[in-house]
């Protein structure tokens, strides 16, 4: 979409989306990232600051505490995170590695929760952050159980590559997705970040993926055959818990 054709709301959204997690940006940085006129960006930042969605320190801007407060009220975060935390803690206790919970938004995964493992490891994931479906364990676990139409639409686009190990061939990825659908386990080897691998499994309700859980491990100590049963068991247990909660609420 051309910037001139954007609605006012879309422009505000573009500005908010330009901020990386936890970092402050200058006016020129935001202007470059959004492609909007500098005067427009400045005016909108003033508006966003006035309602607490953005805060300003000297000549830098960053996302405000009001956005965090609003995010904590999102139903998917509350209900899913509350139900998932006991199973995530169990998985963390068994593996001592980083545990993720993620959901799909369009063609990305968004991380809802993250428990940091004992072993220091630089991962691109962060709570509230997003990564492609196609080069993350949680993303592939979700994509494998999506409708054939959605899966074909994803595979028809150029696959985003984050490392030399990211899959660029849709035929290779399609075969992987078939295997994930068969086993319920996705294995990702250094596709999102070099030096890191993960095992993931979807959380299914009535056969549809609502989230995915994963354990991320440094490549040197990656033993997917040992991790997969624990991850799969945690995902199945969470799915049963969510299903029982849905039955109670419906009743």
């Amino acid at each position: 979409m051309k910037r001139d054709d954007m609605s006012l709301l879309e422009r505000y959204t573009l500005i908010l989306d330009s901020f990386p997690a936890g970092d402050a940006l200058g006016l020129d940085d935001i202007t470059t990232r959004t492609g909007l006129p500098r005067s427009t960006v400045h005016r909108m930042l003033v508006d966003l600051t006035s309602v607490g969605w953005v805060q300003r320190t000297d000549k830098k801007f960053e996302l405000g505490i009001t956005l965090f407060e609003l995010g904590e009220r999102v139903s998917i975060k509350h209900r899913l995170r509350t139900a998932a935390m006991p199973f995530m803690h169990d998985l963390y206790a068994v593996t001592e590695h980083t545990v993720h919970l993620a959901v799909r938004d369009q063609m990305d995964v968004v991380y809802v929760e993250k428990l940091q493992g004992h072993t220091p490891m630089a991962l691109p994931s962060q709570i509230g952050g997003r990564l492609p479906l196609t080069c993350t364990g949680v993303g592939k676990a979700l994509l494998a159980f999506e409708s054939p139409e959605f899966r074909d639409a994803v595979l028809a686009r150029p696959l985003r590559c984050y490392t030399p190990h990211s899959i660029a061939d849709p035929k290779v990825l399609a075969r992987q997705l078939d295997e994930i659908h068969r086993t319920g386990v996705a294995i990702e080897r250094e596709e999102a970040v070099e030096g890191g691998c993960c095992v993931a499994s979807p959380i299914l309700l009535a056969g549809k993926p609502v989230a995915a859980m994963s354990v991320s491990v440094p490549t040197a100590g990656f033993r997917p055959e040992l991790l997969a049963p624990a991850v799969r068991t945690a995902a199945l247990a969470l799915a049963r818990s969510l299903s029982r909660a849905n039955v109670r609420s419906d009743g």
Side-chain angles (χ1 to χ4, degrees), residues 133-172:
L133 286 171
T134 54
C135 66
T136 55
V138 284
K140 291 195 284 187
L142 289 164
L143 183 56
F145 287 86
E146 290 289 352
S147 69
E149 294 78 15
F150 180 78
R151 176 173 148 171
D152 290 346
V154 171
L155 294 176
R157 294 190 172 200
L159 301 180
R160 289 176 281 175
C161 296
Y162 276 49
T163 77
H165 304 282
S166 301
I167 297 173
D169 186 341
K171 293 181 180 178
V172 173

Side-chain angles (χ1 to χ4, degrees), residues 93-170:
V94 169
T95 65
E96 298 187 344
H97 290 293
T98 299
V99 178
H100 292 108
L101 180 70
V103 297
R104 181 176 73 82
D105 181 44
Q106 303 297 327
M107 295 191 180
D108 292 331
V109 291
V110 176
Y111 290 90
V112 176
E113 189 53 83
K114 176 180 180 179
L115 301 180
Q116 186 67 49
H118 289 186
T119 304
M121 182 172 58
L123 292 170
S125 57
Q126 52 197 336
I127 297 175
R130 60 176 62 223
L131 287 170
L133 286 171
T134 54
C135 66
T136 55
V138 284
K140 291 195 284 187
L142 289 164
L143 183 56
F145 287 86
E146 290 289 352
S147 69
E149 294 78 15
F150 180 78
R151 176 173 148 171
D152 290 346
V154 171
L155 294 176
R157 294 190 172 200
L159 301 180
R160 289 176 281 175
C161 296
Y162 276 49
T163 77
H165 304 282
S166 301
I167 297 173
D169 186 341

Side-chain angles (χ1 to χ4, degrees), residues 4 36-37 51 60-61 66-67 70 74 109 111-112 116 119 123-124 139 149 165 170-171 185 189 201 223:
D4 292 343
L36 296 171
V51 295
K60 295 284 188 177
F61 298 87
T66 300
L67 279 181
L70 289 171
V74 175
V109 291
Y111 290 90
V112 176
Q116 186 67 49
T119 304
L123 292 170
E149 294 78 15
H165 304 282
K171 293 181 180 178
V185 174
R189 300 176 185 272
S201 188
R223 299 285 299 278

Side-chain angles (χ1 to χ4, degrees), residues 190-238:
E190 298 187 297
E191 295 172 46
V193 63
E194 291 191 85
C197 303
C198 88
V199 174
S201 188
I203 291 94
L204 305 174
L205 290 183
K208 296 182 179 180
V210 297
M213 195 182 300
S214 71
V215 171
S216 295
V217 181
T219 302
F222 188 50
R223 299 285 299 278
E225 69 278 8
L226 299 181
L227 292 172
V231 176
R232 185 66 177 144
T233 298
L236 289 170
L238 174 54

Side-chain angles (χ1 to χ4, degrees), residues 7 23 40 45 68 78 131 136 144 160 187 198 200 206 225 229 240 242 246:
S7 68
D23 288 338
T40 299
L45 285 171
F68 173 79
H78 258 307
L131 287 170
T136 55
R160 289 176 281 175
I187 296 174
C198 88
E225 69 278 8
R240 285 194 295 269
L242 291 170
N246 283 348

